[in-house]
Amino acid sequence: MPPGITTLAADPPSLSAANTGFMLICSALVMLMTPALAFFYGGMVRVKSTLNMLMMSFISLGIVTVLWVLYGFSVVFGNDVGSVVGWASDYVGLSGIGPNRLWDGSTIPVYVFAVFQLMFAVITPALISGALADRVKFTSWALFVTLWASVVYFPVAHWVWGSGGWLYEMGVIDFAGGTAVHINAGAAALGVVLVIGRRVGFAKDPMRPHSLPLVMLGAGLLWFGWFGFNAGSWLGNDDGVAAVMFVNTQVAAAAAMLSWLAYEKLRHGSFTTLGAASGAVAGLVAITPSGGAVSPLGALAVGAVAGVLCAMAVGLKYRFGYDDSLDVVGVHLVGGVVGSLLVGLFATGGVQSHAKGLFYGGGLEQLGKQAVGVFSVLAYSLVVSAALAFLLDRTIGMRVGEDDEISGVDRAQHAETAYDFGGAGGGMSPRAAATAPGSGSTAVRHTRKVDA
């Protein structure tokens, strides 16, 4: 602080241009994560499902934004009602908020806080989509996102982050979304796949990623955007906590990528690009709830543990027979649980809060609180998500027909394909190819090969 300037402790906070600019940048980074997720998931599916996978993420940008403005922000961050939801009439439609009104206890406008939290609300249902690849009607998915955001995400986010929310008041630590985002989405994914069933050919036909470069691009953009996701959750950087979170985000992602690859090499004999991408994401998931409570060495441990446990967890779907197409349960649910519980072991008491974990002399108290947060969110999201999927499946239907699933949901649901192989150039003209001897059977075989 410059000499000669005195600030009383009781002085109300004033708008900080630096923190406001920082938070706008972080909001943009978190928004980028949803298209990044679309690329990450889009590369992991087969060619015939690429566009559908991209659209299942992109549609969340439209649906959840509208819901957030109309009532979502009010339900999450309005005045507490029974420790379960919030409500504030001036937040409905964001109509009663002045441009210079500050978010309580911060130096940024309410509008900036609202748009930052909006991006969290957008990406959370998009995470679920990876478990449902290849087999869901797009209309049913859009309606599921609408219902799920309203009755699962908004209330759970209030429990965790809203003033008066029961987990918030209990002292559960979730810096940026281990429970509200990742466990919430992972449990929802498990609930839905148990209702809608497995893909045609699950565990029998090869269902390899069609574009690993697209997967790596998506993972890289997710890693980049995650710095805004995590560091921005402190709503500024006046005290250095956001800087610690930034460092811990990088450390955990790196450690998890390496530990996943090491496990993969020992278990399967190869270092794969898909494993590198998945390991990095697992580390990012695990550090999301814990990064504001642990030291960089703690972040190293969190990432290393999450990388191995998530790598082990992705194979559970074959053992138990649930078809989690792109390992949302194995990475996001398991990673969120690991990161949230490890707060109870590695919290130093010297960064985000004074709460200490078991390894820093805090006993089992914080671990107990973390466990309550983890398993309450998991159970609520699992049950309600399964109920929503069951309701939609019995009314308008959740799944496409078997023929459409085999031929590809891109054509069936969007009347498009991701790649125009016929326009690549060279060879005979389309008319000549159509009339050439044997062209019919050759075309059919080529189409099936590409779609597989």
Side-chain angles (χ1 to χ4, degrees):
M1 182 180 297
I5 297 179
T6 302
T7 301
L8 300 178
D11 286 350
S14 58
L15 187 146
S16 166
N19 285 340
T20 299
F22 172 72
M23 289 307 300
L24 289 172
I25 292 171
C26 287
S27 300
L29 287 172
V30 182
M31 181 272 166
L32 178 65
M33 291 175 68
T34 299
L37 181 73
F39 292 144
F40 182 67
Y41 282 168
M44 290 174 69
V45 296
R46 292 170 286 178
V47 167
K48 62 184 180 180
S49 303
T50 306
L51 294 180
N52 181 255
M53 200 72 260
L54 295 173
M55 282 292 289
M56 289 177 80
S57 287
F58 266 81
I59 196 64
S60 188
L61 282 163
I63 293 172
V64 179
T65 297
V66 172
L67 299 180
W68 188 255
V69 171
L70 292 178
Y71 56 84
F73 184 59
S74 181
V75 172
V76 178
F77 292 106
N79 301 320
D80 181 66
V81 180
S83 298
V84 177
V85 296
W87 190 257
S89 58
D90 55 343
Y91 290 169
V92 175
L94 304 183
S95 57
I97 304 171
N100 296 318
R101 178 177 167 184
L102 300 183
W103 181 245
D104 292 343
S106 77
T107 58
I108 64 172
V110 174
Y111 275 124
V112 175
F113 177 76
V115 77
F116 179 70
Q117 289 294 334
L118 162 63
M119 302 311 171
F120 283 68
V122 165
I123 196 171
T124 306
L127 291 171
I128 303 169
S129 66
L132 316 179
D134 298 326
R135 61 199 189 277
V136 173
K137 294 178 182 178
F138 188 70
T139 301
S140 300
W141 168 248
L143 185 54
F144 177 84
V145 169
T146 303
L147 296 173
W148 189 86
S150 300
V151 302
V152 179
Y153 180 80
F154 295 160
V156 168
H158 179 77
W159 299 355
V160 175
W161 292 321
S163 179
W166 71 279
L167 293 178
Y168 178 87
E169 296 299 329
M170 180 185 292
V172 174
I173 293 176
D174 187 352
F175 194 96
T179 53
V181 176
H182 297 290
I183 293 174
N184 203 2
L190 180 58
V192 176
V193 298
L194 291 176
V195 171
I196 67 171
R198 298 175 288 185
R199 290 168 290 179
V200 174
F202 172 71
K204 297 178 181 178
D205 299 336
M207 297 180 179
R208 293 183 293 270
H210 88 278
S211 177
L212 288 170
L214 198 61
V215 173
M216 296 298 282
L217 173 64
L221 290 174
L222 280 170
W223 194 332
F224 175 68
W226 225 292
F227 291 116
F229 193 86
N230 282 355
S233 291
W234 199 241
L235 307 185
N237 196 30
D238 293 328
D239 54 8
V241 175
V244 173
M245 187 58 171
F246 194 106
V247 171
N248 285 346
T249 299
Q250 175 68 18
V251 170
M257 179 179 66
L258 295 178
S259 67
W260 184 302
L261 288 173
Y263 172 83
E264 195 173 54
K265 177 65 174 177
L266 292 172
R267 182 71 175 82
H268 304 292
S270 301
F271 301 115
T272 68
T273 51
L274 183 59
S278 300
V281 172
L284 293 165
V285 169
I287 203 63
T288 292
S290 57
V294 304
S295 68
L297 284 177
L300 195 67
V302 168
V305 172
V308 172
L309 292 183
C310 290
M312 295 171 64
V314 297
L316 294 178
K317 62 185 179 183
Y318 299 110
R319 178 176 299 179
F320 294 107
Y322 63 89
D323 186 6
D324 171 20
S325 306
L326 307 183
D327 302 319
V328 179
V329 176
V331 174
H332 293 277
L333 177 57
V334 174
V337 169
V338 169
S340 296
L341 292 179
L342 288 182
V343 172
L345 302 181
F346 294 117
T348 66
V351 187
Q352 173 186 355
S353 70
H354 296 300
K356 293 183 178 181
L358 178 64
F359 296 163
Y360 287 83
L364 296 173
E365 181 181 0
Q366 191 61 44
L367 180 60
K369 293 178 180 179
Q370 296 303 117
V372 171
V374 164
F375 293 108
S376 59
V377 171
L378 194 162
Y380 178 78
S381 183
L382 176 68
V383 172
V384 177
S385 302
L388 291 175
F390 181 81
L391 175 65
L392 291 173
D393 196 45
R394 289 304 179 94
T395 52
I396 63 175
M398 281 287 285
R399 293 190 64 148
V400 299
E402 184 174 331
D403 289 343
D404 287 340
E405 183 178 337
I406 294 171
S407 64
V409 287
D410 283 359
R411 290 195 180 109
Q413 295 293 299
H414 307 288
E416 298 172 305
T417 56
Y419 305 101
D420 181 10
F421 294 104
M428 294 183 289
S429 68
R431 183 180 298 277
T435 58
S439 60
S441 59
T442 303
V444 170
R445 287 198 301 272
H446 176 68
T447 300
R448 288 177 179 170
K449 182 178 179 181
V450 170
D451 285 346

